[in-house]
């Protein structure tokens, strides 16, 4: 019977590698020293396989990727250190076991080999998110087979479940395994940070340090989604998967270092399994809590949301469009543009709307936009019957747009914006998660419309949002 003997969370700035960073390496000296300490400690456990989860390999919206080439190779040539090379045996037996268990639980897995790589135009070489941690492991003398996993953009509960299946696959094997999540924290700590500055970046990093030290998996998973979004991080999802791999273990957490040079948070943490206790398993409670959350939301849903939900449910299950209700809330305008947004476990699943009335009534506008949001959003496949009980809805009823002379008349929390340039126009609703400045709001609306330069006009509008 196999076991997970050690685990950890490591950052991956290439500057940590002395051959890359050279004279700049001193700026990440704490992270470098902590990574070396972690690698030495890991070697003492004599793992026979490393499972490494990265955010920078082949990332899929609807699947977790597992690299399936027989030999995993890569180098740091793009960072000026072509002499730093990696060549590791891929533990295909463990990778196949993880895949089989995941598919059995309904979690999609993309097995990335050369053929799939060509089809989706993704590489099979090791990414820097994997190679930087591997550098320190190999420096410490850890040269064992690897399973190379890339996070997916799946709901957090499913990523956590995937992690538990890594554990199950290891337990079914005869090998001692170490599991490592690679990731950086906020990329928005300072004005010159790669993703720009956001005051909540430091808040996110402080919370992550506190929660990791306590190995508080529920606390991490339940961090406010807007805080995670505003932090501009790349380590949150790999960490959720790592915590899933430790589900049911008593774990001792130790933050070995934290620093924020270059405006990016680098944290090294060791997570040391102390023994397995099945009663500690969190995964089922996470899914039960998710189900209860949706049930509670539907108990208090507004007339507008109930109309959108019942419309889509009827259309997906029967193909029929429900009758337009004759009685509607008195505050509704007779006609208005509307937007219907669908989310599945906190992630956008569809959003379609009209900026001005196209139907005889606001209710009819909602009905047709609900159908479009669920079946015609080009970013997503049509909603299936199996998904209907997992969706949450919001409905925006738009007020009349008014022209404004410049962005100073906008407020991203209060007003939506329409940017126009000739026949092109881009609209963005107000009070959207992760959009806090006028500059961000206008830039996204311009990008949606394909508008470049500064020759454009602006309109603003208010909305009434129903949940």
């Amino acid at each position: 019977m196999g076991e997970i003997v050690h685990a950890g969370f490591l950052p991956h700035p290439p500057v940590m590698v002395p051959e890359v960073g050279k004279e700049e390496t001193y700026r990440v000296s704490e992270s470098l020293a902590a990574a070396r300490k972690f690698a030495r400690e890991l070697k003492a456990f004599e793992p026979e396989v490393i499972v490494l989860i990265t955010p920078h390999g082949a990332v899929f919206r609807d699947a977790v990727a597992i690299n399936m080439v027989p030999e995993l190779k890569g180098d740091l040539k793009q960072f000026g250190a072509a002499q730093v090379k990696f060549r590791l045996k891929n533990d295909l037996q463990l990778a196949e076991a993880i895949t089989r268990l995941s598919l059995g639980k309904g979690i999609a897995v993309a097995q990335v080999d050369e053929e799939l790589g060509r089809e989706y135009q993704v590489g099979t070489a090791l990414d820097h998110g994997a190679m930087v941690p591997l550098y320190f492991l190999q420096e410490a003398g850890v040269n064992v087979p690897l399973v190379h996993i890339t996070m997916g953009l799946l709901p957090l509960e499913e990523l956590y479940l995937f992690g538990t299946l890594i554990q199950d696959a290891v337990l079914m094997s005869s090998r001692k395994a170490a599991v490592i999540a690679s990731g950086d924290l906020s990329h928005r700590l300072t004005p010159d940070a790669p993703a720009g500055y956001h005051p909540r970046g430091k808040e996110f990093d402080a919370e992550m340090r506190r929660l990791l030290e306590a190995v508080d998996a529920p606390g991490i998973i339940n961090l406010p989604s807007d805080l995670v979004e505003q932090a501009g991080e790349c380590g949150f999802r790999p960490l959720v998967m790592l915590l899933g791999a430790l589900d049911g273990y008593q774990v001792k957490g130790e933050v070995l270092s934290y620093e924020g040079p270059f405006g990016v948070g680098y944290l090294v943490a060791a997570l040391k399994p102390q023994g397995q206790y099945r009663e500690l398993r969190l995964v089922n409670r996470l899914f039960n809590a998710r189900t209860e959350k949706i049930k509670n939301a539907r108990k208090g849903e507004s007339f507008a949301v109930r109309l959108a939900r019942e419309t889509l449910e009827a259309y997906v299950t029967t193909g029929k469009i429900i009758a337009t209700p004759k009685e509607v809330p008195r505050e509704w305008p007779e006609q208005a543009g509307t937007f219907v947004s669908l989310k599945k476990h906190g992630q956008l699943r569809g959003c379609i709307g009209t900026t001005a009335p196209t139907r005889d009534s606001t209710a009819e506008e909602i009905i047709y936009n609900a159908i479009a949001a669920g079946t015609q959003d080009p970013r997503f496949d049509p909603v299936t019957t199996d998904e209907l009980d997992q969706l949450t809805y919001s409905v925006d009823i738009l007020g009349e747009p008014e022209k404004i002379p410049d962005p100073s008349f906008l407020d991203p929390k209060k007003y939506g914006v329409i940017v126009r340039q000739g026949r092109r126009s881009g609209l963005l609703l107000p009070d959207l998660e992760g959009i806090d400045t006028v500059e961000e709001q206008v830039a996204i609306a311009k990008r949606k419309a394909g508008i470049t330069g500064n020759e454009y006009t602006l309109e603003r509008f208010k909305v009434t949002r129903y949940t």
Side-chain angles (χ1 to χ4, degrees):
M1 181 176 177
E3 62 176 322
I4 295 175
V5 295
H6 200 49
F9 181 76
L10 275 74
H12 53 241
V15 71
M16 280 177 64
V17 176
E19 290 88 337
V20 174
K22 298 177 182 176
E23 66 275 6
E24 288 292 299
T25 303
Y26 79 93
R27 299 184 66 179
V28 289
S29 59
E30 292 181 23
S31 300
L32 190 152
R36 284 174 167 161
K37 178 182 179 183
F38 174 83
R40 291 193 301 269
E41 290 179 350
L42 184 145
K43 178 177 169 53
F45 287 94
E46 300 182 340
E48 297 165 283
V49 61
I50 302 293
V51 179
L52 197 150
I53 305 163
T54 173
H56 293 307
V59 178
F60 292 90
R61 178 188 292 276
D62 56 355
V64 174
I66 300 182
N67 200 323
M68 297 301 291
V69 296
E71 190 175 49
L72 297 163
K73 296 183 289 187
D75 61 56
L76 294 174
K77 180 179 180 180
Q78 73 178 105
F79 302 103
Q83 74 275 25
V84 181
K85 298 180 179 180
F86 303 86
R87 178 171 290 186
L88 299 98
K89 180 183 177 182
N90 194 344
D91 192 331
L92 294 175
Q93 183 179 6
L94 184 57
E96 286 285 4
I98 295 169
T99 299
R100 184 173 62 254
L101 291 174
S102 299
L103 295 177
K105 290 290 187 178
I107 297 178
V109 171
Q111 291 191 315
V112 181
D113 53 17
E114 297 293 348
E115 182 179 352
L116 191 74
R118 285 191 297 270
E119 181 180 349
Y120 285 94
Q121 297 183 321
V122 295
T124 58
L126 293 170
D127 60 284
H128 77 275
M131 288 187 286
V132 173
L134 286 172
Y135 176 90
F136 296 101
L137 296 184
Q138 295 195 347
E139 183 184 61
V142 180
N143 293 288
V144 297
L146 178 71
V147 176
H148 179 254
I149 297 172
T150 304
M151 70 173 197
L153 300 180
L154 299 170
L156 297 182
E157 295 89 351
E158 292 175 25
L159 294 179
Y160 191 89
L161 173 60
F162 180 88
T164 70
L165 302 173
I166 293 175
Q167 179 190 138
D168 290 347
V170 169
L171 296 178
M172 290 164 52
S173 77
S174 59
R175 293 185 289 288
K176 295 191 293 184
V179 184
I180 295 172
S182 170
D184 298 333
L185 299 186
S186 175
H187 293 52
R188 309 184 76 179
L189 298 178
T190 59
D192 59 346
Y197 175 70
H198 197 289
R200 301 197 78 188
K202 292 181 180 178
E203 178 188 347
F204 172 81
D205 282 14
E207 277 294 279
M208 289 295 286
R209 288 182 67 180
R210 182 183 68 82
L211 293 166
L212 254 180
E213 190 88 55
V215 197
D216 184 351
I220 289 172
I221 292 168
N222 291 313
L223 278 174
S225 57
D226 60 335
L227 176 60
V228 178
E229 176 75 22
Q230 290 159 355
E233 49 67 47
C234 69
F236 186 68
R237 289 174 177 273
L239 178 59
V240 169
M241 297 167 75
L242 169 63
L243 292 170
L246 297 171
D247 193 30
Y249 279 94
Q250 184 75 46
V251 180
K252 179 182 178 182
E254 182 182 3
V255 172
L256 302 177
S257 71
Y258 172 82
E259 57 187 342
F262 316 112
V264 181
Y266 303 137
L267 184 145
V268 179
L271 303 175
K272 306 171 185 179
Q274 305 294 298
Q276 202 172 34
Y277 304 90
R278 301 296 288 186
E279 66 270 17
L280 296 179
R281 297 209 89 175
L282 175 66
V283 64
N284 290 335
R285 283 182 280 153
L286 287 177
F287 280 88
N288 291 339
R290 188 171 78 174
T291 300
E292 283 302 309
K293 186 176 180 180
I294 294 173
K295 286 182 179 178
N296 290 335
R298 292 191 174 179
K299 287 177 184 177
E301 66 187 5
S302 63
F303 183 91
V305 163
R306 186 167 70 253
L307 177 61
R309 178 176 59 80
E310 291 177 350
T311 294
L312 185 60
E313 289 175 348
Y315 188 81
V316 170
T317 55
T318 70
K320 297 179 180 179
I321 301 173
I322 68 172
T324 303
K326 293 183 171 58
E327 299 292 329
V328 300
R330 285 183 295 176
E331 71 269 16
W332 283 15
E334 186 175 340
Q335 291 177 292
T338 69
F339 272 75
V340 176
S341 300
L342 316 176
K343 285 189 174 183
K344 182 178 177 182
H345 310 313
Q347 294 182 295
L348 187 66
R349 185 61 180 84
C351 179
I352 294 288
T354 45
T355 60
T358 63
R359 303 286 172 178
D360 291 337
S361 69
T362 298
E364 190 177 0
E365 202 83 33
I366 292 171
I367 288 171
Y368 280 86
N369 284 337
I371 294 171
T375 63
Q376 297 170 26
D377 189 326
R379 298 168 293 181
F380 303 96
D381 292 332
V383 168
T384 64
T385 54
D386 292 340
E387 296 177 277
L388 290 174
D389 63 355
Q390 303 174 59
L391 299 179
T392 55
Y393 299 70
S394 65
V395 176
D396 291 303
I397 297 179
L398 278 59
E400 287 285 335
E402 58 175 333
K403 290 184 178 180
I404 55 174
D406 59 65
S408 67
F409 287 78
L410 290 171
D411 178 339
K413 296 298 181 186
K414 182 178 180 181
Y415 295 108
V417 65
I418 301 173
V419 183
R420 299 187 190 275
Q421 184 185 77
R423 294 184 178 180
R424 295 182 175 181
S425 65
L427 178 145
L428 202 68
L429 296 169
D431 198 22
L432 294 178
E433 191 173 281
I435 300 174
D436 302 297
T437 68
V438 169
E439 291 75 17
E440 289 175 309
Q441 188 185 39
V442 172
I444 294 170
K446 286 174 62 180
R447 191 160 59 244
K448 289 175 69 175
I451 293 173
T452 58
N454 297 316
E455 296 298 320
Y456 55 82
T457 61
L458 293 171
E459 298 171 41
R460 71 181 186 183
F461 59 90
K462 289 184 177 182
V463 308
T464 302
R465 179 161 297 161
Y466 297 91
T467 57

